[in-house]
Amino acid sequence: MIREIAKSIREYKKVSILTPIFVSLEVVIECIIPFLTAEMVNRIKDGSEIREITLYGLMLIVLAVLSLVFGALAGSACATASCGLAKNLRRDMFHKVQEYSFENIDRFSTSSLVTRLTTDVTNVQNAYMMIIRIAIRCPLMLIFAFVMAFVMGGRMAFIFLFVVPVLGLGLFAVIRKTMPLFRRVFKKYDALNSSIQENVKGIRVVKSYVREDFETKKFTAAAADVAGDFTRAEKILALNTPMMQFCLYTVMVFVLFFGSYTIITTRGIDLDVGQFSALLTYSFMILNSLMMVSMIFVMITMAGESAKRIAEVLTEKSTLTDPANPIREVADGSIEFDHVSFRYSAKASRMALADINLKIASGETIGIIGGTGAAKSTLIQLISRLYDATEGVVKVGGHDVREYDLECLRNNVAVVLQKNVLFSGTIKENLRWGNSEATDEELVEACRLAQADEFIRSFPEQYDTYIEQGGANVSGGQKQRLCIARALLKKPKVLILDDSTSAVDTKTDALIRRGFKAYIPETTKIIIAQRTASVEDADRIIVMNGGRIDAVGTHKQLLETNEIYRSTYLSQNRTEDQLAVQ
């Protein structure tokens, strides 16, 4: 885990190394100052000349300035290193997520990935800042201050050898109790973010059903659950402070009592006033360092679980990878399913697709129809290798899809998914996802074919109109047509529309399909639809049922031979008596 997180330090290694160096110099100087102060006090007591006292004063000023300078340099370097690590972690995680397959995304969930990219990275950033500065400073301060306390106070310094193990055992007990709580809290954070994401995305549905109160209560309960676990963890962590205070006052009472007793009884021979003042200062240094150590442990305890969750994202291997020598060119749009079966996970009890055998010639227009849960979308997701077949082989252009370079395959198999997504930016910027080099004329042509040009020109800014996140400021039908235009700009070998015209009227749907024939005649076109009108003129229509191919044929053939297709057509278009008359 640590090794994986450390890989993200990269260009910030230099400042990460400089921070402990500056801190070390700061600590050494701070430990010298009380020693010189004690010497100056003794010189004053012995009646030294003003010149000698002034010299000590100047040395103390120089050391104080140097301590300040090294402290400031350490703080600056530490801030740069910790913020840089956080930036790289987020970049590395985001880059890794881009490589994930749908199966990997399903394993983590979107809300969990958001939590890891935000809250978890912030926890690790704070912990790293403390590790390279405070975690270096405190042990060094403990060592130097203890040595100097022993030099100045002799046997009295052994009190610290008793205090440190007591605090260590206490901290260990606290960490052991809080780690499971933090582990549980972060899982609940994921659930909380999921609830927020679901509510914001479905806010129109929430308002239309007047469910604001219900959603508020649900969120409040989830937030209270997180707060409860955090409160329990913080209550345990809060024991650090009284434990430290007890040790602090115990040591101070011991030092004050026995130090004063030694000075009085030996008349300053075994311990003089200067040594005593230095010993008090070193005592404060040691105990303050111990207090900071406890804070570091608290931070590291919290960040430990976050680091583990980040490492899980960084070490996750995509279930889809390129072969050693990938094919980088798709010959044509031919598709073949050879005894293909698929399940979404190894734990799934049944196959989503079972024994699919199908051949599609390049340039064919294929319609796919079937009821909800018939696995229509699952079938087409194997073509662009969004998932890999569990059994059998899927071929595109005569080759197994697993033999292709993924980028090459997906550039040649354009999919307009069922859930249309537009990104924040202008219409032009969204369209150029299909082809970043597309000219304005090509954008307009693709939009005309997708029947989007007319409504785009009705906007004041036309093609420079800004699209809100998720396409919130355009209708469902407009969003679908923009996504189809975006796919057309790829000029792919295979174009798949996954129920992508469901929000447009039948006339517009027909115009879009007519545009396909003129613009991309050699492209294989697969149209998944709920309406039979969307697939009537296809070369062949595939009827799916329960993850299997129930029938394949033309519109006319299926009306005569397939009950599922016939029933769907009749329910959508005309009565059986009207069909008989025809």
Side-chain angles (χ1 to χ4, degrees):
M1 178 186 71
I2 294 172
R3 190 183 303 116
E4 197 63 39
I5 298 293
K7 290 178 183 176
S8 297
I9 298 173
R10 291 196 295 277
E11 69 269 29
Y12 298 99
K13 281 182 180 177
K14 181 180 178 181
V15 284
S16 295
I17 293 169
L18 283 174
T19 300
I21 293 172
F22 290 141
V23 167
S24 301
L25 292 170
E26 180 189 16
V27 168
V28 170
I29 291 170
E30 284 186 13
C31 288
I32 292 172
I33 288 174
F35 178 80
L36 285 178
T37 303
E39 285 294 310
M40 187 171 71
V41 169
N42 289 334
R43 297 288 181 183
I44 293 171
K45 186 187 70 172
D46 294 339
S48 296
E49 294 182 5
I50 191 68
R51 185 186 303 168
E52 190 175 2
I53 303 302
T54 303
L55 181 61
Y56 273 100
L58 289 172
M59 285 192 292
L60 286 172
I61 291 171
V62 170
L63 289 173
V65 170
L66 286 173
S67 176
L68 179 65
V69 169
F70 287 129
L73 290 172
S76 175
C78 178
T80 303
S82 58
C83 292
L85 172 64
K87 180 198 74 174
N88 285 348
L89 278 175
R90 289 194 176 98
R91 183 260 176 203
D92 293 345
M93 290 172 70
F94 189 81
H95 186 268
K96 189 72 176 181
V97 170
Q98 302 309 303
E99 298 175 358
Y100 283 177
S101 65
F102 280 14
E103 185 178 341
N104 295 116
I105 297 290
D106 294 342
R107 188 176 302 158
F108 281 103
S109 84
T110 305
S111 58
S112 178
L113 288 171
V114 170
T115 306
R116 293 168 199 243
L117 277 159
T118 52
T119 305
D120 288 333
V121 171
T122 300
N123 288 340
V124 170
Q125 175 186 345
N126 292 335
Y128 187 65
M129 180 171 59
M130 296 194 80
I131 288 168
I132 62 173
R133 189 180 183 190
I134 310 300
I136 298 296
R137 175 186 171 85
C138 292
L140 285 175
M141 183 65 79
L142 276 171
I143 294 167
F144 282 118
F146 179 77
V147 170
M148 294 304 292
F150 188 80
V151 169
M152 303 300 287
R155 288 174 295 177
M156 277 196 294
F158 282 110
I159 182 64
F160 299 111
L161 294 180
F162 170 76
V163 171
V164 171
V166 171
L167 283 174
L169 289 171
L171 289 172
F172 176 76
V174 166
I175 291 167
R176 190 175 179 183
K177 285 282 187 182
T178 54
M179 278 300 282
L181 288 172
F182 282 123
R183 192 173 296 118
R184 195 164 64 200
V185 161
F186 286 117
K187 288 181 180 177
K188 290 181 180 179
Y189 256 137
D190 292 345
L192 193 68
N193 280 345
S194 180
S195 175
I196 296 168
Q197 184 181 18
E198 182 181 54
N199 183 270
V200 173
K201 187 179 285 187
I203 194 67
R204 288 175 174 80
V205 177
V206 172
K207 289 187 175 299
S208 64
Y209 281 90
V210 197
R211 298 287 282 175
E212 292 94 339
D213 288 343
F214 172 79
E215 288 293 314
T216 301
K217 288 176 182 176
K218 187 172 75 172
F219 177 80
T220 301
D225 195 20
V226 171
D229 278 350
F230 252 125
T231 302
R232 283 189 286 275
E234 291 294 342
K235 281 180 178 178
I236 296 171
L237 290 173
L239 294 174
N240 275 336
T241 302
M243 188 165 56
M244 287 300 307
Q245 292 292 341
F246 172 77
C247 292
L248 173 65
Y249 292 128
T250 299
V251 170
M252 292 313 299
V253 168
F254 177 87
V255 171
L256 284 169
F257 178 80
F258 285 100
S260 302
Y261 178 80
T262 304
I263 291 172
I264 294 168
T265 55
T266 65
R267 298 187 179 184
I269 296 173
D270 289 346
L271 183 71
D272 58 30
V273 176
Q275 288 176 301
F276 183 58
S277 66
L279 182 60
L280 284 174
T281 305
Y282 288 129
S283 298
F284 276 114
M285 284 182 174
I286 291 169
L287 293 169
N288 186 56
S289 296
L290 289 172
M291 182 76 81
M292 295 304 293
V293 166
S294 71
M295 290 176 59
I296 293 166
F297 272 106
V298 170
M299 185 63 71
I300 291 175
T301 300
M302 189 184 297
E305 188 60 30
S306 291
K308 190 185 299 180
R309 286 157 53 86
I310 291 170
E312 285 174 356
V313 175
L314 295 174
T315 55
E316 176 78 2
K317 301 294 183 185
S318 175
T319 56
L320 302 179
T321 55
D322 286 332
N325 297 297
I327 299 170
R328 299 188 182 276
E329 186 176 347
V330 179
D332 55 45
S334 62
I335 301 167
E336 182 180 351
F337 287 79
D338 185 7
H339 295 285
V340 171
S341 296
F342 172 77
R343 59 162 56 99
Y344 280 99
S345 74
K347 297 178 181 178
S349 58
R350 58 178 287 273
M351 291 286 187
L353 290 171
D355 198 30
I356 302 295
N357 287 286
L358 178 67
K359 287 187 178 182
I360 300 171
S362 183
E364 262 194 298
T365 298
I366 301 294
I368 302 179
I369 202 162
T372 303
K376 305 183 295 295
S377 297
T378 304
L379 181 75
I380 60 95
Q381 286 175 357
L382 301 182
I383 298 172
S384 58
R385 210 184 165 204
L386 297 176
Y387 291 96
D388 271 340
T390 306
E391 298 173 8
V393 176
V394 180
K395 293 181 179 179
V396 173
H399 294 277
D400 187 335
V401 291
R402 288 168 290 199
E403 296 176 6
Y404 284 106
D405 172 74
L406 266 173
E407 186 176 338
C408 169
L409 176 67
R410 290 175 183 170
N411 274 330
N412 283 278
V413 180
V415 184
V416 183
L417 293 168
Q418 196 169 6
K419 293 181 180 179
N420 297 286
V421 177
L422 294 174
F423 297 88
S424 303
T426 64
I427 289 176
K428 281 183 180 179
E429 289 169 348
N430 271 277
L431 291 172
R432 287 196 169 105
W433 275 63
N435 179 4
S436 59
E437 304 299 323
T439 63
D440 288 351
E441 290 73 21
E442 288 173 321
L443 297 183
V444 171
E445 183 182 16
C447 287
R448 281 176 181 163
L449 291 164
Q451 304 303 307
D453 181 65
E454 185 178 349
F455 79 77
I456 291 173
R457 293 193 182 279
S458 69
F459 297 144
E461 301 295 324
Q462 298 190 6
Y463 281 82
D464 291 314
T465 299
Y466 188 82
I467 299 293
E468 302 292 343
Q469 185 179 20
N473 58 333
V474 292
S475 70
Q478 290 171 339
K479 192 189 298 184
Q480 285 186 337
R481 282 175 276 173
L482 287 171
C483 290
I484 291 169
R486 183 172 64 188
L488 287 172
L489 285 164
K490 293 174 76 75
K491 296 182 180 178
K493 297 287 196 312
V494 178
L495 175 64
I496 300 171
L497 302 182
D498 186 359
D499 204 16
S500 304
T501 56
S502 58
V504 301
D505 58 84
T506 52
K507 180 183 176 182
T508 303
D509 188 7
L511 289 171
I512 291 171
R513 284 182 278 113
R514 190 183 305 164
F516 289 167
K517 287 184 178 180
Y519 185 64
I520 46 174
E522 296 179 0
T523 296
T524 302
K525 296 163 280 291
I526 299 176
I527 303 168
I528 296 176
Q530 298 293 336
R531 297 185 304 214
T532 56
S534 298
V535 296
E536 279 183 18
D537 58 354
D539 297 319
R540 286 185 294 162
I541 300 168
I542 300 167
V543 180
M544 298 286 296
N545 184 32
R548 295 178 181 273
I549 294 178
D550 191 75
V552 179
T554 63
H555 170 66
K556 186 176 180 181
Q557 290 170 341
L558 292 174
L559 276 178
E560 295 173 354
T561 61
N562 187 261
E563 184 58 34
I564 294 174
Y565 188 81
R566 180 184 175 85
S567 298
T568 304
Y569 179 79
L570 291 175
S571 66
Q572 294 176 359
N573 296 278
R574 60 198 76 183
T575 65
E576 194 163 352
D577 290 340
Q578 289 173 321
L579 183 64
V581 170
Q582 190 183 49

